[in-house]
């Protein structure tokens, strides 16, 4: 079995609010999976449960055959295997672009400064931000920040990249530059799990689309299946609402 | 007439004023630094997320309780009274004769620490949750997150408040005259006592206090600017070699010389 991440019977409650209900879900190596759904459907929470930024209330998160929720498992080492890109970028405000991309490598992966710099430069070139290494986050535009955030996550050379609505906080004209980078990454064979509202993007790059509503997975399958020929009433309703804006 | 008197007092007593001001500055610098360190430590400990269960939870609760008691007590009683209790108390109740300068620095430090730990706590709480999450997502633990991401931002943000504490310390060391530490107020009082001339020495002390506090605030402002870094940044890694007009001219000149 080549499932890199497998989620079984995952549930998450905030107080009495049940956000995720008995989710079963997996990601194969090299697969690009897009999660779609309306706000409050639990898709971001699912993504945050995968790298344990939210502690699941029940169920299992299995990474390469090992249950991460075991008490003995080192969640810090596990997180270095997952790159995370946030909606709000969350670049470290006290560090410049280059240091944002090297601090994790040096402090967590214990790479040397020279090696960290080399790796960071490689990925900053991928996202087209290698000229901006001396800039501070506050001096960059939203799209530039998000590209640096992608480079920061890639610099850890993770097995899986998680994207939590990476374009939702951007101005319309900056969405394109970030999606372009993500398309390139998807083409390079990286395993990606993307929460997004960009239907066109999902149709183009996803190997599999997952539609969530009210804390459950309603429908999943190839983009053609889910986006063009949905079988479930709720999926059809959601798609007609988003596509006919 | 008055100016002449002030001038006369200054000329006759300047070494004493200077020693007093020096002592004031010495105590307040060391105490502000030590107090800030205490505040940083206490602030960090008080913001450690409490685990849901286990031994650590109990320990953390006890430590947090003790730290709040420390903060509440030292914020809630006058420093002058604390000075009397600590300095004379240690001598009379426990038979420990404390050096009065040591006592002075101790008292001002733990006082500053009590205020600073609340300032630091506020600074940590005000850092965006996303900064913690991004650091955790890179695999950093609580300590690494604090050291590399959060504290550098906290220190920048609390600098103005730290400057406030520094200025307050410079002024409030004057209460240490009750344990006869020879700082600026004590020195001024002695000069007034010796000469039976009262307000001119205090006018001089006033000016000296102001010069000290003003200089300190300016230096800290400069420090803030340095931390903030330059307003603009340079683009790096430009692959194109662009010739400057000067160098082109030089090359041309060189060629003509060779001919």
């Amino acid at each position: 079995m080549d499932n890199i991440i497998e989620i079984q019977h995952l549930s998450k409650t905030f107080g009495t609010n049940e956000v995720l209900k008995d989710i079963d879900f997996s990601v194969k190596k090299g697969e690009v999976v897009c999660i779609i759904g309306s706000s409050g459907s639990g898709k971001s929470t699912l993504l945050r449960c995968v790298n344990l930024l939210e502690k699941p209330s029940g169920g299992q998160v299995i990474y390469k055959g090992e249950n991460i929720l075991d008490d003995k498992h080192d969640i810090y080492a596990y997180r270095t295997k997952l790159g995370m890109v946030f909606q709000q970028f969350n670049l470290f405000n006290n560090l410049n672009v280059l240091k944002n991309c090297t601090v994790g490598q040096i402090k967590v992966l214990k790479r040397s400064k020279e090696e960290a710099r080399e790796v960071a430069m490689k990925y900053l070139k991928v996202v087209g931000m290698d000229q901006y290494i001396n800039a501070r986050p506050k001096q960059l535009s939203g799209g530039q920040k998000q590209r640096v955030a992608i480079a920061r996550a890639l610099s850890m050379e993770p097995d899986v990249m998680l994207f939590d609505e990476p374009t939702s906080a951007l101005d319309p004209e900056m969405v394109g530059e970030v999606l372009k980078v993500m398309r390139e990454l998807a083409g390079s064979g990286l395993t990606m799990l993307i929460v997004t509202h960009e239907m066109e993007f999902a149709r183009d790059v996803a190997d599999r689309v997952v539609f969530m509503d009210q804390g459950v997975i309603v429908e999943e399958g190839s983009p053609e299946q889910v986006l063009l020929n949905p079988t479930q009433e709720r999926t059809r309703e959601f798609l007609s609402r988003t596509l006919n804006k | 007439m008055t100016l002449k008197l002030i001038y006369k007092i200054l000329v006759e007593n300047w070494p004493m004023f200077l020693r007093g001001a020096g002592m004031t500055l010495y105590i307040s610098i060391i105490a502000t630094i030590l107090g800030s360190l205490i505040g940083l430590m206490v602030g960090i400990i008080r913001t450690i997320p409490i685990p849901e269960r286990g031994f650590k939870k109990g320990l953390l609760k006890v430590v947090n309780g003790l730290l709040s008691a420390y903060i509440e007590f030292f914020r809630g009683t006058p420093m002058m009274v604390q000075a009397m209790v600590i300095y004379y108390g240690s001598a009379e109740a426990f038979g420990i004769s404390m050096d009065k300068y040591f006592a002075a620095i101790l008292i001002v430090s733990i006082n500053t620490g009590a205020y600073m730990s609340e300032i630091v706590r506020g600074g940590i709480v005000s850092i965006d949750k996303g900064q913690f999450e991004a650091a955790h997502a890179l695999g950093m633990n609580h300590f690494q997150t604090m050291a590399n991401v959060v504290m550098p931002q906290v220190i920048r943000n609390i600098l103005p408040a730290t400057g406030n504490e520094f200025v307050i310390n410079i002024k409030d060391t004057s209460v240490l005259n009750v344990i006869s530490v020879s700082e600026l107020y004590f020195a001024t009082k002695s000069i007034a006592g010796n000469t039976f001339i009262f307000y001119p020495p205090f006018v001089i002390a006033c000016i000296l206090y102001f010069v000290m506090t003003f200089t300190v605030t300016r230096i800290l402002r400069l420090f803030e600017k340095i931390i903030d870094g330059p307003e603009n940044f340079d683009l790096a890694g430009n692959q194109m070699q662009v010739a400057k007009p000067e160098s082109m001219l030089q090359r041309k000149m060189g060629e003509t010389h060779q001919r």
Side-chain angles (χ1 to χ4, degrees):
Chain A
M1 204 147 72
D2 55 354
N3 281 344
I4 194 158
I5 292 175
E6 209 174 320
I7 284 166
Q8 295 172 347
H9 306 296
L10 184 81
S11 65
K12 174 70 188 175
T13 52
F14 292 109
T16 56
N17 187 12
E18 207 175 1
V19 182
L20 294 177
K21 301 165 194 162
D22 196 26
I23 301 264
D24 283 307
F25 170 72
S26 61
V27 182
K28 289 188 174 63
K29 198 169 183 340
E31 204 178 21
V32 177
V33 181
C34 284
I35 305 176
I36 59 171
S38 47
S39 310
S41 58
K43 49 194 193 318
S44 284
T45 310
L46 173 60
L47 198 71
R48 291 162 60 83
C49 279
V50 170
N51 76 348
L52 306 184
L53 281 179
E54 301 291 352
K55 205 173 179 321
S57 311
Q60 293 180 317
V61 177
I62 294 166
Y63 170 76
K64 288 187 173 168
E66 285 177 66
N67 186 6
I68 301 304
L69 296 175
D70 278 353
D71 273 348
K72 60 177 194 282
H73 220 96
D74 182 3
I75 62 165
Y76 300 111
Y78 164 65
R79 281 184 181 143
T80 62
K81 305 288 184 194
L82 306 176
M84 178 85 172
V85 176
F86 297 88
Q87 185 177 354
Q88 298 295 339
F89 331 125
N90 295 343
L91 291 181
F92 302 136
N93 295 324
N94 55 318
L95 302 174
N96 67 20
V97 166
L98 181 66
K99 285 186 178 151
N100 259 285
C101 297
T102 57
V103 66
Q105 299 182 60
I106 294 169
K107 301 294 174 183
V108 182
L109 301 180
K110 310 289 176 202
R111 286 182 185 156
S112 72
K113 268 189 185 157
E114 294 73 34
E115 192 191 353
R117 192 192 150 93
E118 221 167 273
V119 174
M121 287 307 291
K122 181 173 129 195
Y123 289 109
L124 282 168
K125 267 198 191 101
V126 169
V127 300
M129 287 298 292
D130 54 318
Q131 289 201 331
Y132 292 83
I133 51 173
N134 297 319
R136 297 223 172 191
K138 64 174 179 193
Q139 294 162 326
L140 301 176
S141 72
Q144 291 174 326
K145 279 186 209 172
Q146 195 60 297
R147 276 147 64 198
V148 172
I150 293 172
R152 174 176 69 180
L154 287 172
S155 296
M156 300 294 282
E157 303 188 312
D159 291 336
V160 183
M161 283 286 283
L162 310 175
F163 293 85
D164 185 7
E165 302 191 27
T167 57
S168 298
L170 295 176
D171 291 339
E173 70 244 57
M174 296 185 175
V175 171
E177 59 184 84
V178 172
L179 290 185
K180 182 169 161 274
V181 168
M182 288 173 63
R183 271 173 214 272
E184 281 165 22
L185 293 177
S188 73
L190 194 66
T191 313
M192 290 162 78
L193 184 53
I194 307 165
V195 170
T196 186
H197 288 291
E198 300 287 332
M199 294 303 149
E200 211 174 303
F201 171 76
R203 194 190 61 207
D204 292 351
V205 305
D207 297 314
R208 191 147 53 91
V209 173
V210 176
F211 172 67
M212 282 183 72
D213 192 36
Q214 293 173 357
V216 293
I217 292 178
V218 177
E219 190 164 0
E220 66 179 306
S222 70
E224 291 76 29
Q225 250 175 321
V226 178
L227 296 175
L228 302 178
N229 306 302
T231 56
Q232 302 290 321
E233 185 54 38
R234 277 192 279 179
T235 320
R236 254 176 260 149
E237 224 172 86
F238 169 74
L239 288 174
S240 69
R241 250 184 295 137
T242 39
L243 297 179
N244 302 329
K245 267 191 289 205
Chain B
M1 189 59 208
T2 316
L3 276 178
K4 235 180 214 170
L5 197 57
I6 292 175
Y7 182 71
K8 185 173 158 262
I9 295 278
L10 187 60
V11 168
E12 282 169 8
N13 298 288
W14 67 267
M16 204 157 166
F17 277 117
L18 217 54
R19 269 201 303 273
M23 181 54 66
T24 290
L25 215 51
Y26 169 72
I27 293 173
S28 44
I29 287 176
I30 292 188
T32 306
I33 292 172
L34 289 179
S36 302
L37 292 178
I38 295 172
L40 280 177
M41 279 189 295
V42 175
I44 290 175
I45 294 171
R46 272 164 54 94
T47 47
I48 293 177
I50 293 181
E52 282 166 39
R53 59 201 140 87
F55 169 70
K56 264 190 180 169
K57 181 186 176 186
L59 182 73
L60 214 54
K61 282 219 156 152
V62 172
V63 171
N64 274 345
L66 288 175
L67 291 178
S68 337
Y70 154 70
I71 292 169
E72 295 302 338
F73 179 75
F74 281 96
R75 278 200 316 185
T77 53
M79 194 159 81
M80 195 190 264
V81 179
Q82 290 163 18
M84 299 298 266
V85 170
I86 290 177
Y87 183 61
Y88 292 112
S90 63
E92 288 167 19
F94 301 105
I96 306 163
S97 88
M98 211 185 272
D99 177 52
K100 62 187 173 190
Y101 297 105
F102 175 79
I105 288 173
L106 181 74
I107 291 154
V108 183
S109 301
I110 52 184
N111 243 285
T112 313
Y115 284 99
M116 284 301 295
S117 45
E118 284 300 273
I119 293 171
V120 171
R121 197 170 66 89
I124 293 173
V125 170
S126 74
I127 298 291
D128 180 27
K129 214 176 103 214
Q131 299 282 309
F132 290 87
E133 287 186 348
H136 288 156
L138 288 181
M140 290 189 191
N141 58 31
H142 182 73
F143 179 76
Q144 287 169 327
T145 305
M146 280 295 178
N148 297 304
V149 176
V150 178
M151 286 328 279
Q153 295 182 48
V154 168
I155 288 170
R156 163 64 190 90
N157 291 347
I158 65 170
L159 261 184
T162 312
N164 250 350
E165 279 302 307
F166 202 161
V167 166
I168 289 171
N169 278 346
I170 289 174
K171 297 187 297 178
D172 281 6
T173 45
S174 59
V175 307
L176 294 171
N177 79 85
V178 295
I179 57 170
S180 56
V181 173
S182 58
E183 39 67 53
L184 182 54
Y185 178 79
F186 189 84
T188 314
K189 211 171 67 171
S190 312
I191 293 164
N194 290 342
T195 53
F196 291 104
I197 300 169
F198 281 87
Y199 83 88
F202 284 104
V203 168
I204 295 169
C206 228
I207 293 166
L208 285 174
Y209 274 120
F210 182 76
V211 168
M212 285 192 280
T213 54
F214 190 74
T215 317
V216 162
T217 46
R218 290 296 113 173
I219 289 174
L220 278 170
R221 183 57 69 74
L222 194 73
F223 198 53
E224 277 174 41
K225 279 207 173 132
I226 292 171
I227 290 187
D228 283 346
E231 202 101 321
N232 298 308
F233 60 93
D234 295 324
L235 287 179
N238 197 339
Q239 296 297 319
M240 282 221 293
Q241 293 291 326
V242 181
K244 285 186 192 151
E246 303 93 275
S247 53
M248 278 167 77
L249 194 69
Q250 259 177 356
R251 215 178 307 141
K252 235 180 192 167
M253 299 274 275
E255 279 167 19
T256 44
H257 274 296
Q258 277 169 3
R259 276 176 214 158

